[in-house]
């Protein structure tokens, strides 16, 4: 294989040069390939869709982990000593998200991944992603369908992170209102749910339906943005749902203090980005405000 062609969008094909295929197999659930690309290093794709690369994963994982955790830390009252105790990740089999979450001391993180093959092959072929986080004593790795897990668990989490595939195959259920309602059920009071929610320019309806569900279930539903080069199509949206309206308004000075105290050593995330990422361009604002995505598309052509 000389070139890998992504098959996510009907009219757009992101193509990446393959210097070497490190591993390819049909796991119990997905067609998995890990290959080396001269620009992005090791790349993992599932069912023809780029999931993560060594070159740009830091952007996505830092924003997925540090924005919600610092927000809850900043707003948690004295009683909770500004602490986040429990974080749940659904998906995240490459290990990049749990690596960033566990940079915060004093918290424990449960990661619920449906496909053991993804973890096993990431352990072997994506060492810089997980950086040993799967074996951290504050990590609990559960092999299960995240939708079933949040429906049944008795645990309550301060932060829930959905680091899933796109709404295809096993990931489709993770974009439903029922799933978000079950996530709300196991969210501790004052906590927040954040979600991988696609690229609004190309996947507007996906973001729109998630935020519409958030607004039905929570006091606040919106998204924040980051640009991940191999998530083709511009901004990547990370969904945000909470009953705690103070979280997003956490003072910059407090976020900066907590960021410094946690020694997070980030390559993308900064305290200033904490607020800036929620400043939405109009076409995304309209999606979040529920203006029909289709209408937007017509306008653009
Ligand atoms: N960052 C990537 C993206 O934005 O596309 C996601 C990376 S991560 C590898 C996605 C993980 O979600 C995969 O390992 C996949 O097996 C897992 N997954 C998909 N559906 C799931 C489900 N229902 N429950 C738990 N994990 C699931």
């Amino acid at each position: 294989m000389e070139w890998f062609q992504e098959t996510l969008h009907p009219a757009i094909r992101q193509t990446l040069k393959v210097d070497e295929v490190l591993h390819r197999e049909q796991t119990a659930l997905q067609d998995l390939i890990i290959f080396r690309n001269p620009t992005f290093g090791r790349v993992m794709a599932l069912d023809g869709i780029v999931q993560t690369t060594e070159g740009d994963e830091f952007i996505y994982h830092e924003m997925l982990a540090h924005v919600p955790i610092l927000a809850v830390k900043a707003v948690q009252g004295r009683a909770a000593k500004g602490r986040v105790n429990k974080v749940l990740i659904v998906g995240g089999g490459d290990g990049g998200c749990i690596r960033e979450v566990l940079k915060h001391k004093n918290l424990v993180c449960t990661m619920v991944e449906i496909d053991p093959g993804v973890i096993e092959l990431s352990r072997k072929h994506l060492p810089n992603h997980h950086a040993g986080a799967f074996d951290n004593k504050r990590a609990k790795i559960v092999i299960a369908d995240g939708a079933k897990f949040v429906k049944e668990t008795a645990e309550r989490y301060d932060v829930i992170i959905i680091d899933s595939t796109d709404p295809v195959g096993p990931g489709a259920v993770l974009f439903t209102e029922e799933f978000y309602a079950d996530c709300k059920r196991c969210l501790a009071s004052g906590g927040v749910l954040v979600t991988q929610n696609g690229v609004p320019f190309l996947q507007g309806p996906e973001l729109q339906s998630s935020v519409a569900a958030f607004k039905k279930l929570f006091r606040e539903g919106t998204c924040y943005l980051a640009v991940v080069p191999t998530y083709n199509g511009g901004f990547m949206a990370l969904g945000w749902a909470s009953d705690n309206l103070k979280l997003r308004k956490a003072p910059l000075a407090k976020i900066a203090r907590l960021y410094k105290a946690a020694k997070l050593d980030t390559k993308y995330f900064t305290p200033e980005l904490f607020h800036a990422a929620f400043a939405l361009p109009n076409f995304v604002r309209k999606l979040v405000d529920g203006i029909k995505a289709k209408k937007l598309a017509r306008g653009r052509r």
Side-chain angles (χ1 to χ4, degrees):
M1 175 193 266
E2 210 193 333
W3 291 88
F4 167 84
Q5 257 208 352
E6 184 178 53
T7 54
L8 177 56
H9 306 295
I12 300 170
R13 288 261 181 279
Q14 169 173 232
T15 305
L16 297 172
K17 187 165 185 336
V18 178
D19 274 359
E20 181 192 358
V21 173
L22 298 167
H23 190 89
R24 174 145 208 187
E25 83 173 60
Q26 179 61 42
T27 72
L29 287 156
Q30 301 165 110
D31 170 20
L32 180 148
I33 182 169
I34 300 178
F35 62 88
R36 201 193 306 283
N37 168 268
T39 308
F40 291 102
R42 297 178 180 214
V43 177
M44 177 169 71
L46 292 172
D47 294 339
I49 302 172
V50 172
Q51 297 298 306
T52 190
T53 83
E54 285 181 320
D56 60 9
E57 59 83 13
F58 65 95
I59 300 168
Y60 171 78
H61 292 128
E62 288 178 7
M63 292 301 278
L64 205 54
H66 304 314
V67 173
I69 293 174
L70 288 172
V72 174
K73 274 185 175 179
V75 170
Q76 286 291 46
R78 215 170 293 293
K81 302 193 188 68
R83 284 187 40 185
V84 167
N85 301 315
K86 289 186 185 164
V87 173
L88 172 66
I89 300 173
V90 171
D94 55 79
C97 187
I98 194 167
R99 179 199 72 221
E100 289 301 314
V101 167
L102 290 174
K103 283 184 178 175
H104 296 266
K105 301 297 174 253
N106 305 325
L107 64 76
V108 290
C109 182
T110 301
M111 190 187 102
V112 179
E113 166 58 58
I114 198 169
D115 190 337
V118 174
I119 296 179
E120 187 202 318
L121 293 160
S122 297
R123 255 184 199 286
K124 187 169 172 205
H125 296 292
L126 296 177
N128 301 324
H129 273 65
H130 58 79
F134 294 136
D135 306 315
N136 184 308
K137 63 182 187 328
R138 294 183 292 119
K140 190 171 160 211
I141 311 296
V142 178
I143 302 299
D145 179 348
K148 193 163 177 301
F149 182 87
V150 294
K151 205 177 270 306
E152 296 168 358
T153 184
E155 296 288 338
R156 294 293 176 267
Y157 300 93
D158 301 297
V159 173
I160 298 179
I161 299 173
I162 313 304
D163 178 11
S164 72
T165 45
D166 291 278
V168 288
V173 68
L174 306 180
F175 291 78
T176 60
E177 186 171 325
E178 183 182 348
F179 171 69
Y180 297 140
D182 291 331
C183 287
K184 180 166 185 178
R185 187 191 71 80
C186 49
L187 203 57
S189 129
V192 62
L193 166 69
V194 296
T195 60
Q196 184 278 93
N197 243 124
V199 171
F201 192 89
L202 298 171
Q203 299 164 296
E206 175 194 316
L207 174 64
Q208 187 157 57
S209 74
S210 292
V211 175
F214 296 163
K215 288 183 174 178
K216 270 197 202 152
L217 297 163
F218 296 86
R219 293 181 67 204
E220 181 173 53
T222 186
C223 72
Y224 58 106
L225 303 174
V227 177
V228 183
T230 54
Y231 294 157
N232 197 21
F235 289 112
M236 173 81 181
L238 302 170
W240 176 275
S242 181
D243 284 342
N244 187 340
L245 303 183
K246 291 198 198 117
L247 291 179
R248 272 195 321 117
K249 302 193 180 76
L252 176 57
K254 189 143 192 194
I255 295 291
R257 216 172 31 253
L258 291 164
Y259 171 74
K260 196 153 170 268
K263 300 190 181 69
L264 296 174
D265 174 27
T266 50
K267 287 196 291 181
Y268 183 87
F269 176 83
T270 67
E272 292 73 20
L273 266 177
F274 176 88
H275 290 108
F278 286 95
L280 306 178
N282 255 343
F283 83 94
V284 180
R285 162 66 43 216
K286 287 184 175 157
L287 289 169
V288 163
D289 292 348
I291 297 171
K292 279 270 157 280
K294 277 197 196 47
K295 194 165 152 213
L296 278 174
R298 206 173 300 115
R300 225 193 335 271
R301 222 177 271 122

